[in-house]
Amino acid sequence: MASKEIPPYEPRTIEPRWQRAWEDSGQNRAVERADKPKFYLLEMLPYPSGDLHVGHARNYTLGDVIARFLRMRGFNVLHPMGWDAFGLPAENAAIKRGIQPRVWTESNIANMRRQVRMLGTSYDWTREVDTSSPEYYRWTQWLFLLMYRRGLAYKKEAPVNWCPVDQTVLANEQAEGGVCWRCHSPVERRLLNQWFFKITAYADALLAGIDRLDGWPDRVRTMQRNWIGRSEGVTFSFDVEGLEEAISVFTTRLDTVYGATFIAIAAEHPLVEEIIRGKSEANDVRAFVAATKDRTELERTMEKQGVFSGGYGLHPLTGERVPIWVTNYVLATYGSGAVMGVPAHDQRDLEFARAHGLRVATVIAPGAGERPKIGDASFVDDGVLVDSGEFSGLTSEQARNAIAELLIERGIGEQTVNYKLRDWLISRQRYWGAPIPFVNCPNHGLVPVADDALPVRLPEDAPFTGVAGSPLEHVPSFMNTTCPLGDGPATREHETMDTFMCSSWYFLRYLDAHDDEVAWRVDLARYWAPVDQYIGGAEHAVLHLLYSRFFYKVLAEEGLVPGDEPFTRLFNQGSVLGENGLRMSKSRGNVVGIDETVERYGADALRLFEMFAGPPDADFPWSTTGIAGVTRTLSAVWRLVLGNAEAVALDAPRAGAAFDAQESDLRYATHSTIKSITDEFNGRRHLNTCVSSIMKLLNALERFASTRKNASSSSAFGEGLRALLLLLAPFAPHIAEELWERTGHRESIHLERWPEADEAAQKRDAIEVVVQVNGKWRGVVEVPPGSSEDVVLEKALTVSTVAAQIDGKSVRKKIYVADKLLNIVVG
């Protein structure tokens, strides 16, 4: 390496300069063009909580690395950023600090925008959106009205999930497990008049689409399938003694119908009062119903309780009297609100029957002539019917079909499909959200606001007291309006929309972020949509991701978007863990901030370390030792390139040029690295292996420079240095740009073409294969590429360090990975 004075590597000086230069040049702005393939890359937009830590940085860095790679590969990349800015934290901050939510939100956005830019991200900031701005939520309200016009938005009184801490209603998806998704407090049940979206109308379409999402993680697809919960079965009726009405039940196990020994109905079932009227059990049932009313679905299903109603149903096939029990674990919102109790063949029913002394009747046997013993566990498998009248001896599958045909023929049964999925409850009793664009008119009821009167703006003078109910109710200037139908004075809806409404379509607003005529132009959607790569957490599997798919399918039917799925590929990034091994969060006190990290190490070091520390879909612990090591790597790149700047300017090697053995080895390292990194980007995108490959190439270049006289005059060396900078550019964009300029280049390195691997340079007469004994490194042998296990073993036994470990021992097994490794297991 030539001896020359090399200036120090100072990221605090270099990085801000290039960030300004990239912004001023507009090189990251995306415009529609026909000469390049498009690629829409997106990370889930963040909530502006105020301050970012290195865990957030991993997500944005991952997306940015891919965006920069794709641009260098010739793609027209759209990579925007925005803010999911509505939500309870801003309103709670207003209550606590006595400031308006908008003030708090805008301050947080400004700080987080600064931090995201500090990372050197290549976002197209001209498309930035803020979901809490009237310019944005005008179109959120327009989409609400579109849903209403399509018959998909409706208001009704219904039992809802109520968070007593946040004082608002939650959708079922936000109250999973009986706790609030945001504050984790126990959820209550209340009866309120609420707005819903009819997502259930798209249950089959959402389910069918999952099978086509082969670019999504399997676990997310499974979570969505389970949440939709499609089940095929039969609905049939039990007549009720003394009543004209019957109780309908749904079952997927019609083969067990002869084993029904009780009927369980929900406490809210409409026939409860009629069944108990005049019976001695009436007061006990009413007390039970009252006690059940305010309990959450989770509480009701954890401890299975019930009371006898005093009434009986009549079995549709045997005519036997079947006792009717009012229970807490049967829910009125699922199926018909009633089920047949088959204790011998359903574990839940068996536990209930044992607790209340109900009969257990076995009607399914494992095989002919067998009869299971029902103790603490029911027999839930398919089998052969016994004690089932004319159907005895049939298999479960045969019986399900035969019994269904009989019930349908008698007019008391029908084939039915049920879903666990419930309509999306979108009303919220809070201020900081998009107002629902409806007016209550005295003579016409609920009337939608006209499109040209949007947005319905949030008032700036709402009181924030923390008292239950919406602050909007207490703002006369907001509440008092006129009826859109000219019906005189009227009042506005005082509820706001679930914030997931805003994030269900934001990716479309990026296409036309500042258009005040339409939410987005259809021609732009046809060019850019769908999103090609979406990056975000798996925790949104049945919230944001399901809602966005629903929205997109509705919009596709309107002809506003192409296809019927919004995200072609989905990637769930792993978390960065604090030094206590837990996911970073302010509440745990284990946060490592972006500002302090960039100040100490530089943004490039942070980016490179987070991509190197582990596979992008896996969690990894933060390590100051690890980022310090990466900083040394960048310093080594700095010294190597500036110490051999003249080599970078050399012409690329000509086709057919002659190279000595040392240069051939270096060219092999260069081009095999290019190939492996390119393949990784185009495949799994385990970017940690890409960084590892870059480090290995750096080592090869350093060895060449230190062992070869006049290394800077070698075109192979210059080729390797250029490749090193080009491969490093997506990961550490600032230092790559700075070194590119210092070695005589006028255009940005990020506008250069990605290097192409030369196949001829990757061909070698001999390659190195690592030899292990019992899994430990013992040496390296050189063999022709493609050598067999026997050839490698024969050569390995001549290596003294290998032979010493095998001497006097028997070889039990050999593990051979062609052209890479031979592990000899001895004992």
Side-chain angles (χ1 to χ4, degrees):
M1 185 185 297
S3 178
K4 60 176 69 173
E5 185 175 349
I6 298 173
Y9 170 47
E10 296 177 336
R12 282 183 290 181
T13 301
I14 294 168
E15 291 173 352
R17 179 168 81 88
W18 283 114
Q19 289 161 16
R20 289 191 298 270
W22 296 329
E23 190 70 22
D24 292 344
S25 71
Q27 69 184 46
N28 299 321
R29 292 176 194 163
V31 294
E32 299 70 39
R33 49 192 298 176
D35 61 330
K36 289 186 175 185
K38 73 92 180 178
F39 198 98
Y40 188 179
L41 174 67
L42 191 61
E43 299 93 58
M44 293 181 185
L45 82 172
Y47 179 78
S49 57
D51 209 22
L52 295 174
H53 57 67
V54 295
H56 300 113
R58 188 187 195 194
N59 190 31
Y60 308 133
T61 299
L62 174 61
D64 190 64
V65 169
I66 296 171
R68 290 182 180 277
F69 164 77
L70 290 168
R71 290 192 189 100
M72 294 175 75
R73 289 285 284 173
F75 284 88
N76 186 24
V77 177
L78 173 58
H79 191 212
M81 171 55 80
W83 313 99
D84 190 11
F86 274 139
L88 284 167
E91 193 163 339
N92 291 338
I95 295 168
K96 183 177 180 180
R97 297 177 174 85
I99 58 174
Q100 282 292 320
R102 176 158 299 285
V103 174
W104 187 83
T105 299
E106 289 179 349
S107 173
N108 288 351
I109 287 175
N111 184 56
M112 289 173 64
R113 183 191 298 117
R114 175 191 62 80
Q115 289 180 310
V116 171
R117 280 178 158 152
M118 183 190 298
L119 293 172
T121 48
S122 58
Y123 292 117
D124 181 353
W125 287 102
T126 66
R127 297 172 182 264
E128 181 181 14
V129 300
D130 168 1
T131 64
S132 70
S133 70
E135 293 76 20
Y136 184 92
Y137 69 72
R138 166 192 178 181
W139 299 111
T140 303
Q141 293 171 338
W142 178 81
L143 287 166
F144 183 102
L145 296 176
L146 172 66
M147 293 287 190
Y148 178 76
R149 287 192 289 269
R150 289 181 58 89
L152 297 172
Y154 64 93
K155 192 173 188 181
K156 73 168 185 178
E157 188 174 67
V160 297
N161 304 304
W162 176 265
C163 176
V165 174
D166 289 333
Q167 294 286 306
T168 193
V169 164
L170 303 172
N172 286 337
E173 293 85 349
Q174 297 165 331
E176 194 172 6
V179 297
C180 174
W181 73 285
R182 202 193 67 80
C183 69
H184 307 295
S185 60
V187 170
E188 300 173 357
R189 294 289 281 178
R190 292 192 179 183
L191 195 65
L192 295 175
N193 210 21
Q194 300 288 291
W195 282 96
F196 293 83
F197 279 165
K198 199 178 293 184
I199 190 173
T200 52
Y202 286 76
D204 279 331
L206 290 166
L207 199 58
I210 293 173
D211 292 332
R212 300 192 298 272
L213 297 175
D214 52 12
W216 283 39
D218 287 340
R219 64 171 177 163
V220 174
R221 296 198 293 173
T222 298
M223 290 168 73
Q224 289 211 0
R225 283 194 191 96
N226 292 342
W227 190 261
I228 295 169
R230 187 181 195 273
S231 56
E232 296 182 5
V234 173
T235 298
F236 65 97
S237 301
F238 288 82
D239 289 336
V240 180
E241 280 187 345
L243 298 180
E244 293 184 1
E245 294 89 344
I247 294 176
S248 293
V249 299
F250 169 82
T251 181
T252 60
R253 290 298 306 273
L254 194 57
D255 53 319
T256 67
V257 66
Y258 281 87
T261 61
F262 68 95
I263 302 168
I265 64 175
E268 303 87 355
H269 196 285
L271 289 183
V272 168
E273 274 299 324
E274 293 188 52
I275 292 170
I276 66 175
R277 186 176 293 122
K279 294 184 173 64
S280 60
E281 293 85 357
N283 288 337
D284 288 343
V285 173
R286 291 189 182 106
F288 178 80
V289 169
T292 302
K293 182 176 61 176
D294 295 330
R295 302 184 71 188
T296 66
E297 290 186 3
L298 180 67
E299 291 172 328
R300 290 175 60 166
T301 55
M302 287 183 68
E303 185 179 357
K304 300 163 186 64
Q305 299 174 337
V307 292
F308 177 48
S309 69
Y312 290 86
L314 299 177
H315 196 290
L317 297 179
T318 69
E320 293 180 358
R321 299 174 81 218
V322 183
I324 301 170
W325 283 70
V326 180
T327 66
N328 67 343
Y329 68 89
V330 177
L331 305 175
T333 54
Y334 182 73
S336 62
V339 299
M340 65 174 186
V342 186
H345 305 293
D346 183 282
Q347 188 62 31
R348 180 183 64 174
D349 294 345
L350 179 63
E351 292 169 5
F352 188 83
R354 296 291 194 217
H356 297 284
L358 298 173
R359 185 167 64 93
V360 177
T362 302
V363 295
I364 305 289
E370 301 179 65
R371 190 173 291 267
K373 183 179 180 181
I374 306 300
D376 294 330
S378 57
F379 179 72
V380 298
D381 296 336
D382 279 3
V384 177
L385 271 66
V386 296
D387 295 338
S388 298
E390 64 188 273
F391 304 102
S392 295
L394 296 181
T395 66
S396 289
E397 184 176 357
Q398 291 169 336
R400 281 193 285 269
N401 293 327
I403 298 172
E405 289 177 6
L406 178 62
L407 293 174
I408 293 169
E409 183 181 316
R410 292 184 180 181
I412 57 173
E414 61 178 353
Q415 299 281 359
T416 309
V417 176
N418 266 0
Y419 300 90
K420 286 173 58 181
L421 180 68
R422 294 289 168 265
D423 281 344
W424 176 9
L425 192 161
I426 67 161
S427 300
R428 296 295 180 269
Q429 289 65 41
R430 302 306 296 241
Y431 165 82
W432 195 233
I436 293 176
F438 268 77
V439 172
N440 292 283
C441 297
N443 296 321
H444 296 92
L446 283 167
V447 177
V449 173
D451 287 356
D452 60 7
L454 300 177
V456 176
R457 291 176 176 264
L458 286 169
E460 297 293 330
D461 55 346
F464 299 100
T465 62
V467 176
S470 170
L472 294 176
E473 288 183 274
H474 308 291
V475 184
S477 61
F478 174 82
M479 292 297 298
N480 298 326
T481 185
T482 57
C483 179
L485 299 179
D487 194 24
T491 57
R492 294 192 187 279
E493 284 284 82
H494 59 262
E495 294 170 334
T496 54
M497 300 181 210
D498 181 4
T499 55
F500 282 102
M501 174 84 180
C502 305
S503 61
S504 292
W505 73 279
Y506 78 100
F507 51 91
L508 295 168
R509 186 58 176 169
Y510 282 140
L511 311 184
D512 203 8
H514 307 296
D515 197 322
D516 59 3
E517 297 294 328
V518 290
W520 64 87
R521 281 181 17 215
V522 174
D523 62 315
L524 296 180
R526 288 175 181 157
Y527 178 85
W528 287 113
V531 175
D532 295 286
Q533 178 70 70
Y534 201 30
I535 301 172
E539 65 270 19
H540 296 295
V542 294
L543 290 164
H544 162 62
L545 290 171
L546 188 64
Y547 296 154
S548 296
R549 293 185 61 224
F550 162 57
F551 255 68
Y552 200 86
K553 290 182 184 301
V554 174
L555 297 172
E557 292 176 354
E558 285 284 309
L560 297 175
V561 293
D564 67 346
E565 291 289 347
F567 313 119
T568 302
R569 293 180 64 176
L570 172 69
F571 185 84
N572 299 140
Q573 84 282 355
S575 299
V576 179
L577 308 178
E579 293 189 348
N580 54 8
L582 299 174
R583 184 172 178 174
M584 284 191 183
S585 72
K586 293 178 182 177
S587 62
R588 294 191 178 109
N590 63 349
V591 165
V592 177
I594 285 180
D595 288 273
E596 63 194 75
T597 305
V598 171
E599 173 68 20
R600 182 174 180 182
Y601 301 103
D604 281 342
L606 172 58
R607 290 170 61 109
L608 198 62
F609 171 63
E610 296 213 308
M611 294 301 96
F612 176 59
D617 57 348
D619 297 345
F620 77 86
W622 179 256
S623 167
T624 52
T625 303
I627 193 171
V630 165
T631 303
R632 290 192 293 272
T633 296
L634 292 174
S635 295
V637 172
W638 179 267
R639 291 191 301 271
L640 178 67
V641 172
L642 291 185
N644 299 276
E646 60 274 23
V648 181
L650 293 175
D651 292 336
R654 298 186 307 277
F659 300 97
D660 60 33
Q662 190 179 15
E663 289 177 316
S664 294
D665 285 346
L666 181 60
R667 295 200 75 225
Y668 175 83
T670 298
H671 289 277
S672 60
T673 301
I674 293 170
K675 184 179 187 307
S676 67
I677 291 177
T678 305
D679 289 348
E680 197 62 56
F681 266 115
N682 291 332
R684 298 178 308 165
R685 292 181 179 160
H686 279 192
L687 302 185
N688 56 311
T689 65
C690 296
V691 177
S692 178
S693 295
I694 290 170
M695 292 176 173
K696 290 177 182 177
L697 177 59
L698 171 63
N699 291 338
L701 289 164
E702 287 181 321
R703 282 196 303 272
F704 188 93
S706 63
T707 59
R708 187 179 182 98
K709 188 176 181 180
N710 299 322
S712 291
S713 64
S714 168
S715 63
F717 183 57
E719 177 188 44
L721 290 175
R722 285 192 298 276
L724 177 69
L725 293 179
L726 291 165
L727 297 173
L728 184 63
F731 297 91
H734 308 90
I735 189 173
E737 189 79 283
E738 180 74 14
L739 292 173
W740 197 248
E741 183 188 65
R742 287 185 181 231
T743 51
H745 299 90
R746 295 184 179 181
E747 288 289 330
S748 168
I749 193 172
H750 302 291
L751 300 178
E752 293 289 327
R753 292 287 298 182
W754 185 256
E756 296 288 341
D758 184 346
E759 288 189 16
Q762 297 175 70
K763 293 178 180 178
R764 307 187 73 188
D765 295 332
I767 58 171
E768 290 185 343
V769 174
V770 172
V771 181
Q772 297 176 339
V773 178
N774 290 341
K776 294 184 178 180
W777 186 94
R778 296 301 179 188
V780 173
V781 295
E782 282 198 354
V783 294
S787 292
S788 68
E789 178 183 304
D790 291 340
V791 170
V792 177
L793 177 63
E794 182 180 355
K795 193 76 177 284
L797 294 176
T798 66
V799 178
S800 60
T801 51
V802 174
Q805 296 296 319
I806 297 177
D807 187 35
K809 300 172 185 174
S810 60
V811 176
R812 292 183 174 180
K813 187 167 71 170
K814 301 182 290 293
I815 302 170
Y816 180 54
V817 180
D819 292 347
K820 294 183 182 295
L821 176 143
L822 174 64
N823 181 23
I824 306 169
V825 181
V826 299

